[in-house]
Amino acid sequence: QVQLVESGGGLVQPGGSLRLSCAASGIMFRINAMGWYRQAPGKERELVASITNDDDTNYADSVKGRFTISRDNAKNTVYLQMNSLRPEDTAVYYCNANIKRLLWSSIQNYWGQGTQVTVSS
């Protein structure tokens, strides 16, 4: 099976920084695009940032210039560097990976367990 494990969430003051990590593990798979989503209480889950196989990135307007997504293919890991954090960034952040299962050439989306990010004074 394929599993995504997230880490790096926590409580920070406004203007602070956090770095989220998401590592994929398993057998016979290849990762395509990866991304970070977030969901605040009472709101729908939204795409924060994504990165393709070609390192093409996309960001929500609300985080442009503050967040940076990157990936380390050798480690099957995607990162989200979050700077200049604001209270409105408070949410549960979820890692997502589009993964090809090599045995059957099937493509599936996998989700991390979620990590809480709280920005408060």
Side-chain angles (χ1 to χ4, degrees):
Q1 62 181 195
V2 177
Q3 185 178 28
L4 304 182
V5 179
E6 302 179 28
S7 62
L11 173 65
V12 297
Q13 295 184 346
S17 298
L18 285 174
R19 183 177 176 86
L20 306 183
S21 299
C22 175
S25 62
I27 59 173
M28 301 188 70
F29 72 94
R30 183 170 63 202
I31 301 176
N32 297 316
M34 303 186 76
W36 288 94
Y37 292 72
R38 68 185 180 188
Q39 187 166 22
K43 300 181 65 177
E44 295 185 4
R45 186 173 300 185
E46 64 174 345
L47 177 66
V48 177
S50 63
I51 185 167
T52 69
N53 294 12
D54 300 323
D55 289 332
D56 184 30
T57 58
N58 184 56
Y59 297 92
D61 289 339
S62 59
V63 306
K64 285 182 178 178
R66 300 187 298 120
F67 292 9
T68 302
I69 188 171
S70 61
R71 63 190 296 173
D72 186 337
N73 293 332
K75 298 180 179 179
N76 289 326
T77 300
V78 63
Y79 306 94
L80 185 67
Q81 178 67 46
M82 304 184 294
N83 298 326
S84 301
L85 283 163
R86 306 166 180 170
E88 52 264 41
D89 295 319
T90 296
V92 177
Y93 284 71
Y94 297 91
C95 173
N96 175 267
N98 181 259
I99 292 177
K100 182 177 182 179
R101 305 302 301 272
L102 300 181
L103 182 61
W104 301 287
S105 296
S106 61
I107 299 175
Q108 301 178 23
N109 282 313
Y110 290 81
W111 292 92
Q113 80 279 8
T115 183
Q116 177 70 47
V117 172
T118 302
V119 185
S120 176
S121 299

